[in-house]
Amino acid sequence: MEYIYPTSFTYTEALLFFFVLACIIHLHYILRYYRPLAKYKKKEKAEHKNKGVSVIIAAKNELENLKQNLSHVLCQDYPEFEVIVIDDHSNDSSLEYLSGFKEEQLRVIRAEIDEHGKKRALAKGVQNAKYDWLLFTDADCKPASTHWLSQMAERLSDHQMVLGHGRFYKTDGFLNQLIRYECFQNAMQYMAFALAGRPYMGVGRNLAVHKNVFLSAQLNLLAKIKSGDDDLLVNEMGRYVETGIVTEPQAHTLSHAETSWKAYFFQKRRQLQAGNYYQFKDQFKLTLIWAAQFYSWWLFIALMLLGEYRMLILVLFFIKQMIQLISSRALSKQLRDHDLWKMWPFLEFVFLHWHAYTVVSIWFRKVDRWK
């Protein structure tokens, strides 16, 4: 009796299997996390008790940025707050400029001789804060409105940490579009996971937290590493605190994006290097999302060139892209990046490869420069 061997996968069928798998993984994250965020609406509270808030800004040679932005922080429509600017050994005229302010809310603190770096400057600001609720931003950031502080503070009523959005000014050129696209994607991811109770990062240019939580996380991080990016604090704090999000445009901060590919490249290297200190489950999750998007594109291209199952592949890829675009479109209006809509698929394709290139560069040379 002749034995019949089971038919093995052909090369094309193997590629099709991995293409379908990549699409399913990406769709899972879209429907499980991004879609609920797109429908998210802030719950109205019957009563909100104003809490005193300390706004903390670390500055090093930021004279021009302080001139452009500090007055917008000081004029916030909120009953009780202070603004602490920690000067991290500036050698420009920042201190002279700051001394000219007459506003009672402003406090200027100089870092000690043995205190260097943004993280230590922020820790000094926290230690000197009058209030238990802290709101962090950067010297190069401008609040989008006079209600920035009140919108962020409102969420502190029932959360110990609140993640806001720090978007970039829109300017001409493809580089600006790509940076704003990445900023939107990052915000969509960290807000979506925070909304699902799994916060892993945020941006230090728009972040609110309770003092005790910050100090605990800061001590843990300083015991592990000498310095790092702001998202490491959120990754540390998010393990054990209630985390809220604020998507309202009035609560955004605005800053200028990098204007050269070289500066953008080194900035992204620093950010990716910080990701090495994330919890393993967060690193795995982010890698899986990127891989699903990246390989779905190239498997789609390869299968289309091979010619088999062409209609099935086109339908699957079209459905995935449309679900992604529909889920992202509503949120892009709130995050004020709706102008990128027509460029979305192209920006995604370029960004995925730019990300891969930056990751590979870190394998060959580690980053040892931090802001």
Side-chain angles (χ1 to χ4, degrees):
M1 179 176 168
E2 184 179 357
Y3 181 76
I4 302 175
Y5 291 94
T7 304
S8 59
F9 275 133
T10 65
Y11 177 72
T12 304
E13 289 171 338
L15 291 180
L16 179 61
F17 170 79
F18 287 111
F19 170 71
V20 173
L21 179 63
C23 290
I24 290 173
I25 292 172
H26 192 200
L27 283 172
H28 164 73
Y29 283 102
I30 293 172
L31 298 175
R32 171 67 177 83
Y33 296 101
Y34 303 158
R35 192 164 177 265
L37 177 63
K39 295 182 176 182
Y40 170 74
K41 291 184 179 180
K42 181 181 68 174
K43 294 180 181 179
E44 296 295 335
K45 294 186 178 293
E47 181 181 359
H48 168 61
K49 294 182 179 180
N50 291 318
K51 299 175 181 285
V53 178
S54 295
V55 180
I56 298 178
I57 303 170
K60 182 172 184 177
N61 298 325
E62 297 278 8
L63 176 61
E64 294 305 317
N65 284 324
L66 290 170
K67 286 181 178 180
Q68 294 177 20
N69 303 315
L70 184 56
S71 60
H72 297 279
V73 178
L74 290 168
C75 72
Q76 289 296 299
D77 183 13
Y78 195 75
E80 188 177 0
F81 73 100
E82 65 175 351
V83 178
I84 301 176
V85 178
I86 309 95
D87 179 72
D88 183 16
H89 307 91
S90 297
N91 52 29
D92 59 7
S93 302
S94 296
L95 284 172
E96 290 85 344
Y97 173 73
L98 291 170
S99 65
F101 280 86
K102 304 301 180 184
E103 284 81 354
E104 294 182 359
Q105 304 105 308
L106 179 63
R107 295 170 57 198
V108 181
I109 300 174
R110 298 186 67 176
E112 301 295 336
I113 295 176
D114 59 343
E115 295 174 331
H116 289 273
K118 182 178 179 181
K119 291 297 174 286
R120 294 191 182 276
L122 291 176
K124 189 174 185 68
V126 171
Q127 291 165 2
N128 286 274
K130 179 170 36 173
Y131 302 111
D132 288 333
W133 292 105
L134 314 172
L135 178 55
F136 296 94
T137 190
D138 290 338
D140 63 347
C141 292
K142 172 187 173 183
S145 76
T146 57
H147 302 291
W148 164 65
L149 201 162
S150 61
Q151 291 274 359
M152 294 294 289
E154 183 178 345
R155 296 297 286 150
L156 289 173
S157 297
D158 52 2
H159 295 86
Q160 292 177 288
M161 181 167 62
V162 177
L163 309 180
H165 181 43
R167 58 187 169 92
F168 294 112
Y169 288 106
K170 177 184 176 181
T171 60
D172 295 332
F174 179 71
L175 178 60
N176 179 262
Q177 290 181 323
L178 184 64
I179 293 174
R180 289 191 296 118
Y181 170 83
E182 178 185 6
C183 181
F184 171 81
Q185 290 294 318
N186 288 340
M188 182 173 66
Q189 284 186 357
Y190 71 70
M191 286 185 175
F193 284 104
L195 187 63
R198 301 178 182 181
Y200 72 92
M201 72 158 281
V203 289
R205 56 187 182 268
N206 199 0
L207 169 69
V209 68
H210 192 277
K211 181 189 290 187
N212 291 336
V213 175
F214 177 91
L215 291 176
S216 297
Q218 182 80 352
L219 288 173
N220 291 340
L221 285 173
L222 288 175
K224 298 176 184 177
I225 55 176
K226 295 180 180 179
S227 57
D229 277 356
D230 306 300
D231 51 354
L232 295 180
L233 290 170
V234 179
N235 195 258
E236 185 73 22
M237 290 185 284
R239 302 180 188 189
Y240 49 88
V241 301
E242 287 290 327
T243 304
I245 62 171
V246 177
T247 61
E248 284 73 22
Q250 289 184 324
H252 296 174
T253 60
L254 292 156
S255 57
H256 292 281
E258 299 290 359
T259 56
S260 73
W261 285 93
K262 182 178 179 180
Y264 177 39
F265 173 69
F266 283 110
Q267 179 190 64
K268 186 162 180 60
R269 277 169 57 91
R270 287 193 298 269
Q271 293 169 350
L272 290 174
Q273 185 83 10
N276 291 332
Y277 296 98
Y278 284 5
Q279 298 176 66
F280 175 77
K281 63 179 181 180
D282 295 324
Q283 294 187 44
F284 177 80
K285 175 173 58 184
L286 295 174
T287 301
L288 186 62
I289 294 172
W290 171 84
Q293 289 182 269
F294 181 86
Y295 288 109
S296 66
W297 271 101
W298 277 107
L299 288 168
F300 168 75
I301 293 171
L303 287 165
M304 291 300 294
L305 291 174
L306 289 172
E308 295 185 53
Y309 309 106
R310 188 168 283 174
M311 183 56 65
L312 173 63
I313 296 158
L314 276 171
V315 170
L316 285 175
F317 192 73
F318 178 78
I319 291 173
K320 182 183 81 72
Q321 289 298 105
M322 288 306 300
I323 293 175
Q324 179 183 6
L325 290 172
I326 292 169
S327 298
S328 302
R329 186 173 185 179
L331 185 62
S332 70
K333 292 180 180 179
Q334 283 204 70
L335 299 188
R336 291 296 189 262
D337 285 311
H338 191 59
D339 63 290
L340 301 175
W341 176 255
K342 294 180 181 179
M343 294 280 289
W344 217 266
F346 179 68
L347 287 169
E348 177 188 1
F349 186 83
V350 173
F351 171 72
L352 290 171
H353 291 77
W354 175 255
H355 179 91
Y357 171 73
T358 313
V359 169
V360 171
S361 76
I362 295 174
W363 293 347
F364 292 98
R365 186 176 179 181
K366 297 296 182 182
V367 179
D368 194 28
R369 302 189 306 168
W370 302 86
K371 282 190 176 182

